[in-house]
Amino acid sequence: MKSLASITDKDIETIKMALNDSISDMNTELKQELSPEKKNSLVNFKAKYSRVFDKLKQSGSIYALTETELDIVAGGLNDAMELIEENLTDDLSEEESEEILAYKNDCQKLVDLLAL
């Protein structure tokens, strides 16, 4: 059985990249016309993702996160995988596609690990 101890520095970088991608997507969405409820919800999610991202930047350790923050990490990884699916196009080179799919697989591996 895998545990949090199996999370490597590369995995932490993947998590930070996923959270950053999700935050960037939220920033784009916040520029659109949204209902006050949707806008408030997005602002709250962005703040949560940003806090966890900043905490990981400072400590670099998964053990610095609380259980709630680990749930936020899983959400950010899932969001990043959705973004990949939405933006994966046929006009990418084979190398670009392989790199993006490797990132998606890394995200999925971490989601599976966090679900244990």
Side-chain angles (χ1 to χ4, degrees), residues 1-4 6 109-116:
M1 175 193 251
K2 293 202 174 212
S3 68
L4 292 181
S6 66
K109 177 188 79 152
L110 289 164
V111 167
D112 294 343
L113 180 76
L114 291 170
L116 297 176

PDB file of all heavy atoms in Angstrom, residues 1-4 6 109-116:
ATOM      1  N   MET A   1       0.847  -1.186   0.000  1.00  0.00           N
ATOM      2  CA  MET A   1       0.000   0.000   0.000  1.00  0.00           C
ATOM      3  C   MET A   1       0.890   1.245   0.000  1.00  0.00           C
ATOM      4  O   MET A   1       1.828   1.342   0.756  1.00  0.00           O
ATOM      5  CB  MET A   1      -0.903  -0.006   1.228  1.00  0.00           C
ATOM      6  CG  MET A   1      -1.714   1.256   1.346  1.00  0.00           C
ATOM      7  SD  MET A   1      -2.494   1.433   2.948  1.00  0.00           S
ATOM      8  CE  MET A   1      -4.171   1.154   2.478  1.00  0.00           C
ATOM      9  N   LYS A   2       0.569   2.170  -0.861  1.00  0.00           N
ATOM     10  CA  LYS A   2       1.326   3.417  -0.929  1.00  0.00           C
ATOM     11  C   LYS A   2       0.826   4.371   0.151  1.00  0.00           C
ATOM     12  O   LYS A   2      -0.296   4.282   0.611  1.00  0.00           O
ATOM     13  CB  LYS A   2       1.165   4.053  -2.301  1.00  0.00           C
ATOM     14  CG  LYS A   2       1.816   3.224  -3.383  1.00  0.00           C
ATOM     15  CD  LYS A   2       2.117   4.078  -4.568  1.00  0.00           C
ATOM     16  CE  LYS A   2       2.902   3.251  -5.551  1.00  0.00           C
ATOM     17  NZ  LYS A   2       3.817   4.028  -6.299  1.00  0.00           N
ATOM     18  N   SER A   3       1.707   5.297   0.524  1.00  0.00           N
ATOM     19  CA  SER A   3       1.342   6.282   1.535  1.00  0.00           C
ATOM     20  C   SER A   3       1.882   7.638   1.114  1.00  0.00           C
ATOM     21  O   SER A   3       2.567   7.763   0.094  1.00  0.00           O
ATOM     22  CB  SER A   3       1.935   5.887   2.890  1.00  0.00           C
ATOM     23  OG  SER A   3       3.346   6.005   2.852  1.00  0.00           O
ATOM     24  N   LEU A   4       1.592   8.636   1.928  1.00  0.00           N
ATOM     25  CA  LEU A   4       2.096   9.979   1.640  1.00  0.00           C
ATOM     26  C   LEU A   4       3.615  10.002   1.595  1.00  0.00           C
ATOM     27  O   LEU A   4       4.196  10.839   0.920  1.00  0.00           O
ATOM     28  CB  LEU A   4       1.584  10.973   2.686  1.00  0.00           C
ATOM     29  CG  LEU A   4       0.087  11.269   2.669  1.00  0.00           C
ATOM     30  CD1 LEU A   4      -0.252  12.298   3.741  1.00  0.00           C
ATOM     31  CD2 LEU A   4      -0.366  11.763   1.314  1.00  0.00           C
ATOM     32  N   SER A   6       5.463   8.156   0.029  1.00  0.00           N
ATOM     33  CA  SER A   6       5.938   7.843  -1.314  1.00  0.00           C
ATOM     34  C   SER A   6       5.880   9.046  -2.258  1.00  0.00           C
ATOM     35  O   SER A   6       6.312   8.958  -3.405  1.00  0.00           O
ATOM     36  CB  SER A   6       5.148   6.670  -1.900  1.00  0.00           C
ATOM     37  OG  SER A   6       3.799   7.029  -2.092  1.00  0.00           O
ATOM     38  N   LYS A 109      -2.301   9.602 -10.771  1.00  0.00           N
ATOM     39  CA  LYS A 109      -1.579   8.777  -9.781  1.00  0.00           C
ATOM     40  C   LYS A 109      -1.660   9.418  -8.389  1.00  0.00           C
ATOM     41  O   LYS A 109      -1.911   8.725  -7.393  1.00  0.00           O
ATOM     42  CB  LYS A 109      -0.119   8.610 -10.215  1.00  0.00           C
ATOM     43  CG  LYS A 109       0.745   7.827  -9.227  1.00  0.00           C
ATOM     44  CD  LYS A 109       2.203   7.882  -9.621  1.00  0.00           C
ATOM     45  CE  LYS A 109       2.746   9.193  -9.183  1.00  0.00           C
ATOM     46  NZ  LYS A 109       4.113   9.361  -8.851  1.00  0.00           N
ATOM     47  N   LEU A 110      -1.497  10.725  -8.339  1.00  0.00           N
ATOM     48  CA  LEU A 110      -1.562  11.421  -7.054  1.00  0.00           C
ATOM     49  C   LEU A 110      -2.964  11.453  -6.482  1.00  0.00           C
ATOM     50  O   LEU A 110      -3.157  11.303  -5.269  1.00  0.00           O
ATOM     51  CB  LEU A 110      -0.999  12.844  -7.206  1.00  0.00           C
ATOM     52  CG  LEU A 110       0.513  12.884  -7.402  1.00  0.00           C
ATOM     53  CD1 LEU A 110       0.952  14.240  -7.929  1.00  0.00           C
ATOM     54  CD2 LEU A 110       1.224  12.546  -6.107  1.00  0.00           C
ATOM     55  N   VAL A 111      -3.984  11.621  -7.335  1.00  0.00           N
ATOM     56  CA  VAL A 111      -5.366  11.560  -6.868  1.00  0.00           C
ATOM     57  C   VAL A 111      -5.658  10.192  -6.264  1.00  0.00           C
ATOM     58  O   VAL A 111      -6.243  10.087  -5.188  1.00  0.00           O
ATOM     59  CB  VAL A 111      -6.363  11.885  -8.011  1.00  0.00           C
ATOM     60  CG1 VAL A 111      -7.780  11.513  -7.628  1.00  0.00           C
ATOM     61  CG2 VAL A 111      -6.288  13.350  -8.390  1.00  0.00           C
ATOM     62  N   ASP A 112      -5.218   9.148  -6.969  1.00  0.00           N
ATOM     63  CA  ASP A 112      -5.416   7.791  -6.465  1.00  0.00           C
ATOM     64  C   ASP A 112      -4.730   7.587  -5.126  1.00  0.00           C
ATOM     65  O   ASP A 112      -5.279   6.968  -4.210  1.00  0.00           O
ATOM     66  CB  ASP A 112      -4.911   6.752  -7.475  1.00  0.00           C
ATOM     67  CG  ASP A 112      -5.712   6.736  -8.764  1.00  0.00           C
ATOM     68  OD1 ASP A 112      -6.852   7.277  -8.790  1.00  0.00           O
ATOM     69  OD2 ASP A 112      -5.201   6.202  -9.768  1.00  0.00           O
ATOM     70  N   LEU A 113      -3.528   8.122  -4.974  1.00  0.00           N
ATOM     71  CA  LEU A 113      -2.779   8.008  -3.724  1.00  0.00           C
ATOM     72  C   LEU A 113      -3.499   8.746  -2.591  1.00  0.00           C
ATOM     73  O   LEU A 113      -3.618   8.229  -1.479  1.00  0.00           O
ATOM     74  CB  LEU A 113      -1.368   8.554  -3.909  1.00  0.00           C
ATOM     75  CG  LEU A 113      -0.490   8.487  -2.668  1.00  0.00           C
ATOM     76  CD1 LEU A 113      -0.012   7.057  -2.443  1.00  0.00           C
ATOM     77  CD2 LEU A 113       0.687   9.413  -2.825  1.00  0.00           C
ATOM     78  N   LEU A 114      -3.988   9.940  -2.886  1.00  0.00           N
ATOM     79  CA  LEU A 114      -4.667  10.731  -1.862  1.00  0.00           C
ATOM     80  C   LEU A 114      -6.020  10.130  -1.469  1.00  0.00           C
ATOM     81  O   LEU A 114      -6.511  10.386  -0.370  1.00  0.00           O
ATOM     82  CB  LEU A 114      -4.857  12.176  -2.334  1.00  0.00           C
ATOM     83  CG  LEU A 114      -3.571  12.989  -2.458  1.00  0.00           C
ATOM     84  CD1 LEU A 114      -3.838  14.310  -3.159  1.00  0.00           C
ATOM     85  CD2 LEU A 114      -2.944  13.219  -1.094  1.00  0.00           C
ATOM     86  N   ALA A 115      -6.591   9.320  -2.350  1.00  0.00           N
ATOM     87  CA  ALA A 115      -7.894   8.710  -2.076  1.00  0.00           C
ATOM     88  C   ALA A 115      -7.767   7.528  -1.105  1.00  0.00           C
ATOM     89  O   ALA A 115      -8.776   7.062  -0.576  1.00  0.00           O
ATOM     90  CB  ALA A 115      -8.531   8.245  -3.369  1.00  0.00           C
ATOM     91  N   LEU A 116      -6.561   7.044  -0.864  1.00  0.00           N
ATOM     92  CA  LEU A 116      -6.370   5.888   0.036  1.00  0.00           C
ATOM     93  C   LEU A 116      -6.630   6.244   1.475  1.00  0.00           C
ATOM     94  O   LEU A 116      -6.447   7.254   1.962  1.00  0.00           O
ATOM     95  CB  LEU A 116      -4.949   5.319  -0.114  1.00  0.00           C
ATOM     96  CG  LEU A 116      -4.619   4.756  -1.486  1.00  0.00           C
ATOM     97  CD1 LEU A 116      -3.156   4.326  -1.507  1.00  0.00           C
ATOM     98  CD2 LEU A 116      -5.501   3.574  -1.835  1.00  0.00           C
TER      99      LEU A 116
END
